[in-house]
Amino acid sequence: MKRSRIKDLLNSKESGIDVVTAGWVRTRRASKGGFSFIELNDGSCLNNIQILAFNDLPNYDSEIGRLHPGASIVVEGELVQSEGSGQALEIKAAKIRVLGHADPMEYPLGKQRINLERLREIPHLRARTNSFGAVARVRDLLTFEITRFFHDRGFLYVHTPIITGSDCEGAGAMFQVTTLDPANIKKDESGQPDYSEDFFGQRAALTVSGQLEGETYACALGNIYTFGPTFRAENSNTRRHLSEFWMVEPEMAFADLSDDADLAQDFLQHLFNAVLTHCKSDLEFFNKRIKPGLIERLERLAQATFARISYTDAIEMLIDSDQGFEFDPHWGMDMQSEHERYLAEEIFKGPVVVTDYPKDIKAFYMRRNDDGRTVAAMDVLLPEVGEIIGGSQREERLDHLIDAMRASNLDPKNYTEYLDLRRYGSVPHAGFGLGFERLVQFCTGMHNIRDVIPYPRAPKRL
């Protein structure tokens, strides 16, 4: 008989049927009546299924009566209506085969609650807990819905390279990739490392963004998106930063900043509606245990109108608010989280798109506005989190782009392919980036971003 997932059994409309299931024991409770209640979970859903194991089973005394949390078993039996409270269906076991025991003195996930900091030290086991199992299911659903959203709108999925020779953000915080012996790298005449004998013949690094390569396909195929791992070698240990994370980056040809903002709103609201529809039990768990009010927040944002305001007007509002911010707001500053949240939570009381930032605080590829001071950039701000999406209309004018590169101390010779897009049939185009883990964090209410990725990478943590 084929194994059934616990999720499917709990949702079954039938009872009195023979079934086979398997999973890991969450708890076992012995009854004075000569049987045990076993709570079994296989990861397919948040809820466990209860197994009734009577002492007339051949291996009851030798194995079943000694089961502890963490043990793995296969159960054959009858799916029946439960006589107890808390579940509608349970399995009356006819046979239980123990696949693997777990020593209660060594297994770290017993009945006691374990704090999230401790669980980060055992990432290979933490997915067996309710919190991290629920995070994994929400993450899976969001991954699927991202693909569905773009596919339904005619976007092509493009796999951009992980190893690159260019720094998209111009910040220099990149992980180097080399086959040379780091202790014996030759120097050139100027005393700089000589990479001519390296694998690629030049300095290479892990990508910080797939945007530049994504633009090349958008300027040939129309609308595309990338969704892959990116890397930042920033020595940051905040609850919002990772050294390895996933980015969603759509790019649209023949589009401007307004089109970009429209896409960002539709994208977020599609994802919020999807998780509300398909992850109800997991969201209820987060709403109760992790983030009270989470479901209401997602429901409100899924239907909200996204306000739009220029950076200049936003700064004026912050100055006029007289809030006593830790960082005094002034034109030309890169807004801090406290400013972003105040705009979304207090002024607009909902999501807001801030546009037209000062050019000196934004990346070289963003289109210069006619005022000479600002660029056609946008950030989407959400209550309680601040920025969730950053994007822009890209600079499609060759001379302006070269000037911006030089102003950012970037050598245009290293961006020949990127500049060719402006030499041969240049078109207006726009796109944005969404940090996937920040999205998962927002949808689950988890406090630390290291708890929404299977294996967090951060300074001094590999």
Side-chain angles (χ1 to χ4, degrees), residues 114-177:
I114 305 176
N115 63 44
L116 298 177
E117 289 78 8
R118 166 62 180 141
L119 288 172
R120 286 182 209 127
E121 298 174 4
I122 49 173
H124 59 295
L125 293 175
R126 66 179 184 171
R128 296 189 186 185
T129 66
N130 284 336
S131 296
F132 289 94
V135 166
R137 286 185 292 272
V138 170
R139 186 181 174 103
D140 170 74
L141 185 278
L142 288 170
T143 300
F144 175 77
E145 291 296 336
I146 286 168
T147 301
R148 183 206 294 271
F149 175 86
F150 288 117
H151 181 270
D152 288 351
R153 286 159 181 76
F155 283 68
L156 297 181
Y157 184 17
V158 175
H159 298 137
T160 53
I162 291 175
I163 300 175
T164 182
S166 61
D167 181 0
C168 177
E169 300 299 325
M174 302 177 75
F175 289 102
Q176 186 174 341
V177 176

Side-chain angles (χ1 to χ4, degrees), residues 257 307-318 331 335 343 347-348 352-358 369 371 373-379 381:
L257 189 64
R308 298 191 189 184
I309 186 175
S310 71
Y311 168 91
T312 299
D313 289 344
I315 290 295
E316 290 179 0
M317 288 181 175
L318 292 170
W331 200 95
M335 283 194 292
L343 288 168
I347 294 180
F348 291 97
V352 55
V353 182
V354 180
T355 65
D356 303 307
Y357 283 77
N369 289 328
D371 60 14
R373 304 170 67 212
T374 63
V375 291
M378 68 161 192
D379 285 340
L381 313 181

Side-chain angles (χ1 to χ4, degrees), residues 149-444:
F149 175 86
F150 288 117
H151 181 270
D152 288 351
R153 286 159 181 76
F155 283 68
L156 297 181
Y157 184 17
V158 175
H159 298 137
T160 53
I162 291 175
I163 300 175
T164 182
S166 61
D167 181 0
C168 177
E169 300 299 325
M174 302 177 75
F175 289 102
Q176 186 174 341
V177 176
T178 181
T179 58
L180 299 177
D181 180 358
N184 295 291
I185 295 180
K186 295 180 181 180
K187 302 294 180 65
D188 59 22
E189 295 178 354
S190 63
Q192 297 299 312
D194 180 5
Y195 294 108
S196 62
E197 296 182 8
D198 206 348
F199 188 88
F200 294 104
Q202 66 181 78
R203 189 179 187 278
L206 298 179
T207 186
V208 299
S209 169
Q211 177 199 316
L212 301 188
E213 294 86 356
E215 283 186 52
T216 66
Y217 269 71
C219 290
L221 301 174
N223 295 347
I224 66 95
Y225 73 103
T226 76
F227 185 12
T230 52
F231 309 84
R232 303 281 171 91
E234 298 172 331
N235 189 20
S236 178
N237 270 301
T238 77
R239 68 180 184 87
R240 287 169 53 85
H241 288 88
L242 290 167
S243 300
E244 176 185 331
F245 54 98
W246 285 66
M247 284 282 287
V248 183
E249 297 175 290
E251 202 72 34
M252 298 179 290
F254 311 104
D256 60 16
L257 189 64
S258 178
D259 298 319
D260 208 23
D262 290 343
L263 181 70
Q265 175 175 336
D266 291 346
F267 181 53
L268 287 174
Q269 292 190 316
H270 172 88
L271 297 177
F272 295 155
N273 276 305
V275 77
L276 285 166
T277 300
H278 300 292
C279 294
K280 289 182 179 179
S281 60
D282 291 318
L283 288 187
E284 288 169 357
F285 169 81
F286 291 125
N287 198 74
K288 180 179 179 181
R289 295 291 187 89
I290 305 294
K291 180 73 175 179
L294 173 68
I295 293 176
E296 180 184 357
R297 178 177 74 173
L298 290 172
E299 289 174 339
R300 185 171 61 253
L301 292 174
Q303 305 300 325
T305 298
F306 284 44
R308 298 191 189 184
I309 186 175
S310 71
Y311 168 91
T312 299
D313 289 344
I315 290 295
E316 290 179 0
M317 288 181 175
L318 292 170
I319 293 173
D320 293 343
S321 69
D322 194 27
Q323 278 299 299
F325 295 109
E326 180 180 355
F327 298 92
D328 291 334
H330 60 274
W331 200 95
M333 76 176 301
D334 195 358
M335 283 194 292
Q336 302 297 306
S337 179
E338 61 175 338
H339 306 133
E340 296 170 343
R341 291 188 56 180
Y342 185 82
L343 288 168
E345 295 168 19
E346 302 299 330
I347 294 180
F348 291 97
K349 301 187 185 303
V352 55
V353 182
V354 180
T355 65
D356 303 307
Y357 283 77
K359 64 181 178 62
D360 293 337
I361 62 172
K362 288 297 183 179
F364 72 92
Y365 52 76
M366 297 184 177
R367 194 184 198 278
R368 267 48 180 172
N369 289 328
D370 293 339
D371 60 14
R373 304 170 67 212
T374 63
V375 291
M378 68 161 192
D379 285 340
V380 180
L381 313 181
L382 296 182
E384 301 182 49
V385 67
E387 180 196 345
I388 189 76
I389 280 178
S392 73
Q393 184 174 338
R394 315 313 189 187
E395 182 57 80
E396 85 278 12
R397 299 165 295 183
L398 180 63
D399 55 344
H400 286 73
L401 184 56
I402 291 175
D403 288 344
M405 285 180 172
R406 288 173 175 160
S408 300
N409 297 315
L410 299 174
D411 187 350
K413 293 180 181 178
N414 296 331
Y415 295 84
T416 301
E417 295 87 349
Y418 191 64
L419 293 173
D420 278 352
L421 302 181
R422 282 76 181 169
R423 294 189 179 102
Y424 313 130
S426 184
V427 298
H429 56 289
F432 63 75
L434 167 74
F436 183 57
E437 280 69 31
R438 288 193 180 181
L439 172 69
V440 179
Q441 189 179 10
F442 186 80
C443 289
T444 60

Side-chain angles (χ1 to χ4, degrees), residues 39-52:
E39 293 290 323
L40 195 67
N41 190 282
D42 66 356
S44 62
C45 63
L46 180 71
N47 297 320
N48 308 321
I49 194 166
Q50 182 167 274
I51 312 297
L52 292 179

